[in-house]
Amino acid sequence: MPKHNNVIPNSHFHKDWERFVKTWFDQPGKKKSRRDARAAKAARIFPRPVSGLLRPQVQCPTFKYNSRSRLGRGFTLAELQGAGIQPREAKNIGISVDRRRFNKSNESLQRNIRRLKEYRAKLVLFPKKLNKPKKGDASAEDIAKVTQLKTAILPLKKPKVQHETYVIKKEDRNLVPAYEALRQARSDARNLGRIKKRLADKAAAAQSTGGKK
């Protein structure tokens, strides 16, 4: 028997527990396989970007997160029309399209139109036939300089919030601490009725004593 106030041994080893044990011994090999697959895909889709299609900038749903921006599913038809791009052409030049999404504000519409125009200006479009380039296709010199983009296409930039600063003066150090001021304000608000009644009783008592004299 075990000594002292410990847990009583009650191990159940007749449940074929070895079938339920999960191991992860293939983790280093899987890591290498994923890395090789990424490299093979990058070589297969060259010179297209590794990260895939261009995505729009949208706001997160719900009241809690709608101040945050993230990448959406695809551009709306109105955004493509504002940038002068046909929906059928968009997929061919690496732009994602979402026919179900629509713009609720002019701000989001203009923001994604600017995003499309910036992408279109930086895009190097290969001709279908090198000996017969069409209007808008890249020249032979531009094609020779092309490198594959390994990072995200036009990543979102977090806006820098500038907070207002205030220099603490000498007279500010003699003020009532904020905690004490809040406690006093809560107490005054809670006891406002009692304070008013006490002042009214005091005024009535003073008036009655003054009338007797």
Side-chain angles (χ1 to χ4, degrees), residues 9-64:
N10 190 22
S11 303
H12 299 275
F13 290 115
H14 299 284
K15 293 186 178 179
D16 197 12
W17 58 272
E18 292 156 333
R19 289 193 296 115
F20 304 104
V21 175
K22 292 185 179 180
T23 59
W24 203 27
F25 299 130
D26 61 342
Q27 190 267 341
K30 289 290 185 182
K31 180 180 179 181
K32 185 176 185 302
S33 299
R34 289 193 299 270
R35 184 183 178 89
D36 294 342
R38 287 196 298 269
K41 181 184 176 182
R44 187 174 67 251
I45 66 173
F46 181 87
R48 289 176 289 172
V50 174
S51 58
L53 303 176
L54 177 70
R55 306 286 177 180
Q57 181 178 352
V58 299
Q59 299 303 121
C60 295
T62 71
F63 181 77
K64 183 176 182 181

Side-chain angles (χ1 to χ4, degrees), residues 117-128:
K117 287 182 178 179
E118 184 183 356
Y119 173 78
R120 196 72 176 87
K122 295 181 178 180
L123 183 66
V124 178
L125 197 60
F126 279 46
K128 288 186 177 180

